Structure formats: structure tokens, C-alpha cells
């Protein structure tokens, strides 16, 4: 696995690659769509949501050009139960991104190691701000029109009004400086969510909603449960064969390797949100790499 020095180096090369794509976007507004979360492990649901978000914002304005998607795994200090080590999650996300690119006619998807390489857990606004600065600094041309959009579910949008979890000053900055692309969730009326939150109401022009009716139906929780039962045949299509091979090699979430594989015929559906890591009140001590 990668050392911290290797992760830092790949973070810089990552920013350079994105900047080059933005510079080649002559006459158009470069757009980058970001997916943040635990990714423990990444699933086809995460990638489907990211792809749908890229399609949504590409159609939002004729001058928009989506140059890339970004997957950013959260730092280990987030402390979520069943959170695999950051280096494992980075590699699984890379495997998932490669599989996505092979199967889709879409902009490239990159995995950003920046959050994992920091000294602690970082808030969403801080990460997106640093991402914007890193890419803008690496661009040779004008970076003033660079658009960064956060892909998320309606459950996260609804949770933004929870001041015990989200710093409302940062929420204001988040929705005023960045685009938000929201996927539907069962039982959540996103129009009412915006009406009931003054900050979202003020900046509703920056909030886009996916029109494809996509539901995030495959969650990491479901995959971990299957892995714990050694139901590998059922888990394989949910994470992809290469990601599963990596999981098996490193025995991630596999409690007892002596237990035979258990067939699974159940249909698993879950509306778990992909971005929920604003639940801790940490302050990042090192703002930039």
C-alpha cells in the first residue's frame, strides 16, 4: 500500500491532471463533480449516483462542460464503525473508478487522496475549498469560472438544517460558493426541505435535482453484511470483481475465513446516503497539504 509521501505526491499529480482538463475546455465553463463519503466499501450505487450527477449538471447550462468526476474518501479520524483504513479505501475506489470508466461513455473519474492524507477529519466545505484552490493554482488559464459541484442525496440536503451537526455559517458558504446536485430519496420532499431552510432558500439557484429518478439502491452496509456472511457471489456485482478480489485479499469485513460461502437469494435495497460525514465536531488542524 501507499506511504504518506506517495499519497501526497499522487494528490499533487491529481490536481495537475484535473487542471489540464480544465485548461483544454476552451469556450466552455469547466465543471467538476465531487462525491464525498466513507466508501467502505465503494459500491455501484455510489458510482451510479456520481454518473447521474455528471449528466444532470451537463444538461443544466449550454456553456457547461463536465471535465471530470472526483471520489474523495473521508479521513480515518471520522471514526465511523466498520470504516476500513484510508489506504484500503483509496485503492478500492480506484478499482471502482477504473471499472466505471470501462463501462461508461463519460468524463474521467479520479480518486482524490487529499482527505485521507490530512492530519485529521475535514469538513465538506473545507475540502471543496481546498480542492478549488489546488486546481486553480495548477491551471495555466483563467480559473475564475471553474465550477465545482457536490453530488449528494436528498437526505443530506435535509440534514443541512441540523445545527447540531452542521455549522450553519459553513452551510451558507457551501451552498453559495458551490453547486449541489441532489438525488431523490424515498420519503423526502426536497422542495419542502428548501422552503423550510432559509439558507437553502436564498441559494436555491445553486441546487440542482437529478431528473433521472435514480435511487441509491446499493449501500456499503448491505455489502459489508454479505461479506460478513462470505456471500461473495452476491457481493461481486455490487462492488465489481476487482474490488471484491482486493477485499478478499486483505480480509476486509470478512469475520471468519474458515466459514464456507453462504448463498444469498435476497433482494437488497437500501436508501443509505452516501455523504454523512458531518456528524463530528472536529477542526482540521492543517488546512492545506
Amino acid at each position: 500500500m501507499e506511504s504518506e509521501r506517495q499519497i501526497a505526491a499522487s494528490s499533487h499529480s491529481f490536481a495537475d491532471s484535473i487542471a489540464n482538463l480544465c485548461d483544454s475546455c476552451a469556450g466552455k465553463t469547466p465543471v467538476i463533480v465531487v462525491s464525498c463519503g466513507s466508501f467502505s466499501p465503494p459500491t455501484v450505487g455510489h458510482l451510479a449516483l456520481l454518473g447521474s450527477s455528471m449528466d444532470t449538471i451537463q444538461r443544466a447550462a449550454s456553456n457547461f462542460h463536465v471535465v471530470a468526476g472526483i471520489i474523495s474518501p473521508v479521513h480515518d479520524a471520522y471514526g465511523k464503525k466498520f470504516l476500513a483504513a484510508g489506504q484500503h479505501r483509496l485503492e478500492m475506489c480506484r478499482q471502482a473508478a477504473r471499472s466505471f470508466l470501462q463501462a461508461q461513455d463519460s468524463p474521467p473519474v479520479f480518486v482524490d487522496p487529499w482527505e485521507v492524507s490530512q492530519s485529521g477529519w475535514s469538513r465538506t466545505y473545507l475540502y471543496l475549498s481546498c480542492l478549488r484552490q489546488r486546481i486553480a493554482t495548477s491551471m495555466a488559464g483563467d480559473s475564475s469560472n471553474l465550477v465545482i459541484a457536490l453530488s449528494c442525496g436528498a437526505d443530506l440536503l435535509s440534514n443541512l438544517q441540523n445545527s447540531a451537526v452542521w455549522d450553519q455559517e459553513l452551510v451558507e458558504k457551501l451552498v453559495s460558493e458551490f453547486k449541489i446536485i441532489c438525488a431523490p430519496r424515498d420519503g423526502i420532499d426536497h422542495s419542502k426541505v428548501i422552503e423550510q431552510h432559509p439558507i437553502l432558500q436564498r441559494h436555491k439557484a445553486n441546487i440542482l435535482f437529478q431528473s433521472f429518478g435514480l435511487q441509491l439502491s446499493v449501500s456499503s452496509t448491505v455489502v459489508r453484511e454479505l461479506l460478513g456472511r462470505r456471500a461473495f457471489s452476491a457481493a461481486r456485482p455490487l462492488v465489481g470483481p476487482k474490488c471484491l478480489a482486493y477485499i478478499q485479499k486483505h480480509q476486509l469485513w470478512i469475520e471468519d475465513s474458515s466459514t464456507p460461502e453462504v448463498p444469498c437469494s435476497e433482494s437488497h435495497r437500501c436508501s443509505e446516503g452516501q455523504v454523512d460525514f458531518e456528524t463530528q465536531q472536529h477542526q482540521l488542524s492543517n488546512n492545506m497539504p
Side-chain angles (χ1 to χ4, degrees), residues 35-42 46 71-74 89 92-93 220 274:
S35 178
C36 298
S38 300
F39 303 109
S40 193
H46 295 130
I71 298 172
S72 179
V74 73
R89 289 180 290 115
M92 287 186 289
C93 285
S220 297
Q274 88 170 58

Side-chain angles (χ1 to χ4, degrees), residues 85-261:
Q87 293 181 346
H88 284 311
R89 289 180 290 115
L90 282 173
E91 183 56 34
M92 287 186 289
C93 285
R94 289 176 183 134
Q95 296 288 356
R98 292 187 190 107
S99 299
F100 179 81
L101 288 174
Q102 292 172 356
Q104 305 289 329
D105 180 16
S106 68
V109 174
F110 295 84
V111 178
D112 188 0
W114 187 88
E115 285 195 74
V116 169
S117 68
Q118 299 306 297
S119 60
W121 172 81
S122 56
R123 290 184 178 275
T124 304
Y125 173 75
L126 175 60
Y127 167 66
L128 294 179
S129 297
C130 291
L131 174 66
R132 178 175 56 193
Q133 182 175 342
R134 289 157 57 209
I135 295 173
T137 301
S138 299
M139 288 178 63
D142 181 17
S143 63
S144 61
N145 66 341
L146 175 63
V147 173
I148 294 180
L150 176 67
S151 172
C152 69
D155 46 351
L156 179 135
L157 194 70
S158 177
N159 196 38
L160 288 178
Q161 61 187 321
N162 185 350
S163 59
V165 173
W166 289 81
D167 183 320
Q168 294 302 293
E169 290 186 7
L170 293 184
V171 170
E172 180 98 45
K173 291 182 178 181
L174 177 67
V175 297
S176 64
E177 297 179 23
F178 302 100
K179 299 287 188 183
I180 309 294
I181 310 172
C182 186
R185 290 288 187 270
D186 289 336
I188 298 179
D189 186 336
H190 54 70
S191 61
K192 287 186 178 180
V193 169
I194 292 178
E195 289 175 3
Q196 295 170 359
H197 195 311
I199 294 176
L200 298 182
Q201 183 66 27
R202 281 196 295 274
H203 304 288
K204 61 183 179 180
N206 278 344
I207 304 173
L208 306 175
F209 294 96
Q210 293 183 5
S211 57
F212 307 103
L214 176 69
Q215 293 284 345
L216 183 57
S217 58
V218 180
S219 76
S220 297
T221 301
V222 168
V223 174
R224 290 194 302 267
E225 290 173 354
L226 292 173
L227 293 170
R229 297 168 53 191
R230 298 185 60 79
F232 300 134
S233 296
R236 183 173 290 106
L238 308 184
V239 295
K242 291 184 178 180
C243 185
L244 179 61
Y246 184 91
I247 290 170
Q248 291 176 299
K249 177 181 178 181
H250 297 279
Q251 291 292 292
L252 301 176
W253 308 290
I254 302 173
E255 297 180 358
D256 183 1
S257 60
S258 64
T259 303
E261 177 173 349

Side-chain angles (χ1 to χ4, degrees), residues 54-97:
M54 289 193 286
D55 289 340
T56 296
I57 197 166
Q58 181 65 70
R59 291 169 168 79
S62 59
N63 64 319
F64 278 0
H65 179 64
V66 177
V67 298
I70 293 175
I71 298 172
S72 179
V74 73
H75 191 277
D76 290 353
Y78 172 50
K80 190 176 183 179
K81 191 177 181 181
F82 301 119
L83 189 68
Q87 293 181 346
H88 284 311
R89 289 180 290 115
L90 282 173
E91 183 56 34
M92 287 186 289
C93 285
R94 289 176 183 134
Q95 296 288 356

